[in-house]
Amino acid sequence: MQLTGAEIIVECLKEQGVDTVFGYPGGTILNVYDALYKHQREIFHVLTSHEQGAAHAADGYARATGKVGVCLATSGPGATNLVTGIATAYMDSIPMVAITANVTLPMLGKDSFQEVDIAGVTMPITKHGYIVKDVSILADTLRKAFRIAASGRPGPVLVDVTKDVTAALYEYTPKEPEKPEWVKKYNEEEVEQALKLLTRAKKPYIFVGGGAVLSGASGQVREFAAKMDAPVCDTLMGKGAFDGHNPLYTGMIGMHGTKTSNLGVSECDLLIALGARFSDRVVGNVKKFASNAKILHIDIDAAEINKNVRADASLVGDLKDILNTINSRLPQLSHEEWTSHIKEYMEKYPLKYDDSVLSCPYVIEELDRITGGDAIITTDVGQHQMWAAQYYHYTKPRTFISSGGLGTMGYGLGACIGAKMGKPDKICVNIAGDGCFRMNMNELATASRYNIPVIQVVINNHVLGMVRQWQTLFYDHRYSQTVLADKVDFCKVAEGLGCMAIRVTQKEEVAPAIEKAIAAGGPVLIECVIPEDDKVFPMVSPGAAISEVFDGDDLAGENAAQ
């Protein structure tokens, strides 16, 4: 049947099982929005307050559901406003298709109104990018985009379509969507080498990254840990792939990892990395990282092997498939002396905070208790992000959603809206600092427009907390541009944008506020006012070995000794 290019785009979205898209209209993409209007019962469009919010919402939708997220924008500034969201998805390997429209083909390259080479702009931050100038290739290009986004190591794909292509007629033939692909690159010899390392280790440690979530390997990771009888740590992106209540779990590793995880990995004789990329925030000083250990690295992306940390053995392929193979051949092992040693560390170095006053860790622990650890938690970036990773017990994958690689302030609220659209039966909470919240708080208008019952928790310490913490520790208390002591009233802002607002200043107000927000049935902001000098501990100084992890007690001891 003959359809316009815009109608072909909508039909291809339906082919791929897309039921929700996020975007903002404009001149060049009007034909697509007209086609969406005709299919609004099949594809629900969420009009965000800003294109960046649309990209973050598509990202959050993808992380919560495991499906490909979709965002739309017009040409020029509409397209460039997606860039931060695309880069966020790229750094964390999130499957997303960003569809933009551009000026007509005769106007390309002439500095036309709202013209920009968005494919060129996004080339370094996408798995692939297309410029569609011919309606005859439009459908197949979109199909390729979805397959590429979801195949192998996932990531964002851009499809830029000229406006005349969205208006042109062409024969459309429906097709069944192709399944995502991944290539098995490991062999029997590599499996045998891995099994030898695993069975010979006396002090193994398992290190779980975001690949365990993306591959759907949570069950296999848990079986593997039980067979290995080995302690387990995770990265920010790996949260929920391993049960946070499991006795083998020792918490996060890295700059704000637990002392147990950082010291344990520094002492182990075999580090088993499952879908992790050894980022600088995890590794610290590369030369001193896990210096006593052999390293077994399992990842879907061959480019990650030996990129940051040298591996003694590796397996490249889908983590779920590889662990199924290993688990079927791995005998039940016992490392009682080693696990007992790690448990002693856990008892000696628990996470702790000042519980005499209202604090972010207390708010998060109450949130964990009231939701039974079963909410989807999104965050922005900074101190609150680390506290959310430390003090909420994630028991399932896809329940912690945060910008890890890019560290995007302003990410969380859009992501929370996307997560709630994808998982409407889940309680969805975004935790943000006051600095982050200012960046995209306009998305509260999106939540109120559609009455999306997300809970926005603002941890308000009137400073840029993480940057101030660095200024305190490493810049001799020179607080350059990190104090936010102005007259912004977040509760009034939220109410002005159509949301309920609750201000919390005392510990005893936290639980009633959370319970009221959950029961509200619409978007709610909870502002929690905490002291400006609260710090995230433990911490590793930049460039130091993770074994040099310190906390507030260590700092107090140093100061007393001086």
Side-chain angles (χ1 to χ4, degrees):
M1 55 183 164
Q2 291 271 313
L3 296 178
T4 67
E7 290 167 334
I8 289 172
I9 290 172
V10 173
E11 290 300 326
C12 285
L13 292 178
K14 288 162 58 179
E15 263 183 25
Q16 299 295 326
V18 175
D19 53 20
T20 307
V21 297
F22 307 87
Y24 205 95
T28 60
I29 202 169
L30 271 177
N31 291 330
V32 176
Y33 272 82
D34 191 54
L36 280 169
Y37 182 85
K38 299 169 186 175
H39 293 270
Q40 57 189 286
R41 292 185 179 179
E42 298 149 286
I43 298 177
F44 187 78
H45 179 279
V46 178
L47 175 64
T48 55
S49 298
H50 190 283
E51 289 92 351
Q52 185 178 338
H56 293 329
D59 174 306
Y61 178 93
R63 295 193 203 218
T65 64
K67 297 165 65 176
V68 177
V70 178
C71 57
L72 308 173
T74 197
S75 63
T80 58
N81 282 343
L82 294 177
V83 169
T84 298
I86 292 171
T88 301
Y90 181 75
M91 288 291 283
D92 291 341
S93 304
I94 305 305
M96 186 167 82
V97 171
I99 300 173
T100 56
N102 215 323
V103 298
T104 59
L105 185 56
M107 301 303 291
L108 277 180
K110 296 183 178 179
D111 293 332
S112 304
F113 177 68
Q114 291 193 332
E115 179 196 356
V116 73
D117 178 10
I118 192 61
V121 169
T122 59
M123 187 179 295
I125 54 167
T126 52
K127 281 188 74 176
H128 201 76
Y130 295 97
I131 305 174
V132 182
K133 303 175 184 178
D134 182 346
V135 70
S136 68
I137 65 169
L138 177 59
D140 284 342
T141 299
L142 285 163
R143 290 163 183 150
K144 288 176 187 175
F146 275 87
R147 188 175 72 252
I148 291 170
S151 295
R153 182 178 184 170
V157 177
L158 178 97
V159 181
D160 191 37
V161 187
T162 60
K163 186 174 182 178
D164 45 349
V165 167
T166 67
L169 286 169
Y170 193 72
E171 188 69 21
Y172 166 75
T173 304
K175 286 187 179 180
E176 285 292 317
E178 295 182 38
K179 291 184 178 180
E181 301 172 350
W182 55 267
V183 179
K184 179 178 176 179
K185 295 183 179 178
Y186 63 95
N187 55 42
E188 176 61 24
E189 183 180 339
E190 290 168 334
V191 173
E192 285 293 330
Q193 185 182 11
L195 287 167
K196 284 180 182 178
L197 286 174
L198 294 170
T199 54
R200 292 175 181 176
K202 302 298 182 186
K203 297 188 291 183
Y205 222 112
I206 300 170
F207 165 38
V208 180
V213 175
L214 296 170
S215 70
S218 177
Q220 287 75 14
V221 170
R222 298 175 194 211
E223 181 185 350
F224 176 68
K227 279 200 162 190
M228 282 297 301
D229 187 34
V232 179
C233 64
D234 57 17
T235 67
L236 196 68
M237 293 293 95
K239 289 287 170 190
F242 193 75
D243 187 348
H245 289 292
N246 191 297
L248 292 171
Y249 180 65
T250 63
M252 194 164 61
I253 183 177
M255 181 171 280
H256 292 290
T258 63
K259 278 194 169 184
T260 299
S261 293
N262 285 356
L263 294 174
V265 165
S266 299
E267 294 176 13
C268 74
D269 65 3
L270 176 65
L271 182 62
I272 309 143
L274 305 180
R277 59 186 179 87
F278 293 103
S279 77
D280 56 298
R281 287 300 174 101
V282 164
V283 170
N285 188 315
V286 176
K287 293 180 181 178
K288 297 180 180 179
F289 179 74
S291 56
N292 299 311
K294 292 188 175 182
I295 292 177
L296 170 60
H297 192 179
I298 304 175
D299 202 276
I300 199 164
D301 188 353
E304 290 297 339
I305 308 299
N306 298 321
K307 185 176 86 174
N308 295 328
V309 171
R310 198 81 188 162
D312 295 275
S314 61
L315 294 164
V316 176
D318 179 71
L319 181 62
K320 185 175 183 178
D321 172 67
I322 290 172
L323 285 183
N324 277 331
T325 299
I326 288 175
N327 287 339
S328 68
R329 296 163 63 173
L330 186 68
Q332 179 62 53
L333 302 173
S334 176
H335 302 100
E336 186 176 352
E337 184 177 345
W338 171 236
T339 56
S340 296
H341 173 63
I342 296 300
K343 285 175 184 175
E344 287 174 6
Y345 272 157
M346 292 177 70
E347 292 169 4
K348 185 177 180 181
Y349 301 120
L351 289 172
K352 59 182 179 179
Y353 61 92
D354 181 2
D355 61 0
S356 66
V357 295
L358 177 63
S359 67
C360 186
Y362 178 79
V363 172
I364 290 166
E365 285 189 332
E366 282 296 275
L367 191 60
D368 188 11
R369 180 183 65 82
I370 291 168
T371 62
D374 197 37
I376 291 177
I377 304 295
T378 67
T379 78
D380 277 277
V381 173
Q383 289 180 316
H384 63 277
Q385 178 190 34
M386 296 298 104
W387 282 319
Q390 291 173 334
Y391 288 97
Y392 197 95
H393 294 87
Y394 302 93
T395 61
K396 299 172 185 174
R398 302 192 180 279
T399 55
F400 179 74
I401 295 175
S402 189
S403 171
L406 197 63
T408 306
M409 293 176 70
Y411 166 80
L413 181 52
C416 194
I417 289 169
K420 185 66 178 179
M421 294 304 296
K423 292 288 185 179
D425 296 333
K426 283 278 191 180
I427 295 170
C428 293
V429 183
N430 182 50
I431 302 170
D434 50 320
C436 288
F437 181 60
R438 292 162 183 264
M439 293 194 172
N440 280 329
M441 60 187 178
N442 53 351
E443 294 305 335
L444 283 180
T446 306
S448 66
R449 179 184 296 116
Y450 299 99
N451 198 37
I452 303 170
V454 294
I455 300 171
Q456 169 64 66
V457 176
V458 178
I459 304 300
N460 189 359
N461 55 5
H462 297 96
V463 294
L464 296 177
M466 186 63 86
V467 185
R468 179 187 173 91
Q469 178 166 329
W470 280 49
Q471 288 173 332
T472 300
L473 296 174
F474 311 120
Y475 290 84
D476 197 25
H477 300 80
R478 293 187 295 275
Y479 300 123
S480 178
Q481 306 304 316
T482 51
V483 178
L484 305 177
D486 50 32
K487 297 180 181 179
V488 176
D489 186 324
F490 292 125
C491 288
K492 287 183 179 178
V493 168
E495 289 169 349
L497 292 173
C499 303
M500 180 191 293
I502 307 167
R503 179 173 287 114
V504 170
T505 59
Q506 304 293 328
K507 287 177 63 178
E508 56 269 22
E509 297 170 344
V510 172
I514 294 171
E515 289 165 353
K516 185 176 181 180
I518 291 171
V524 180
L525 176 139
I526 303 173
E527 179 188 16
C528 300
V529 182
I530 69 167
E532 63 182 15
D533 279 324
D534 281 3
K535 293 179 177 63
V536 177
F537 290 121
M539 185 176 182
V540 177
S541 298
I546 62 169
S547 58
E548 297 172 42
V549 58
F550 64 90
D551 57 22
D553 290 343
D554 296 321
L555 279 183
E558 285 181 16
N559 292 334
Q562 290 175 354

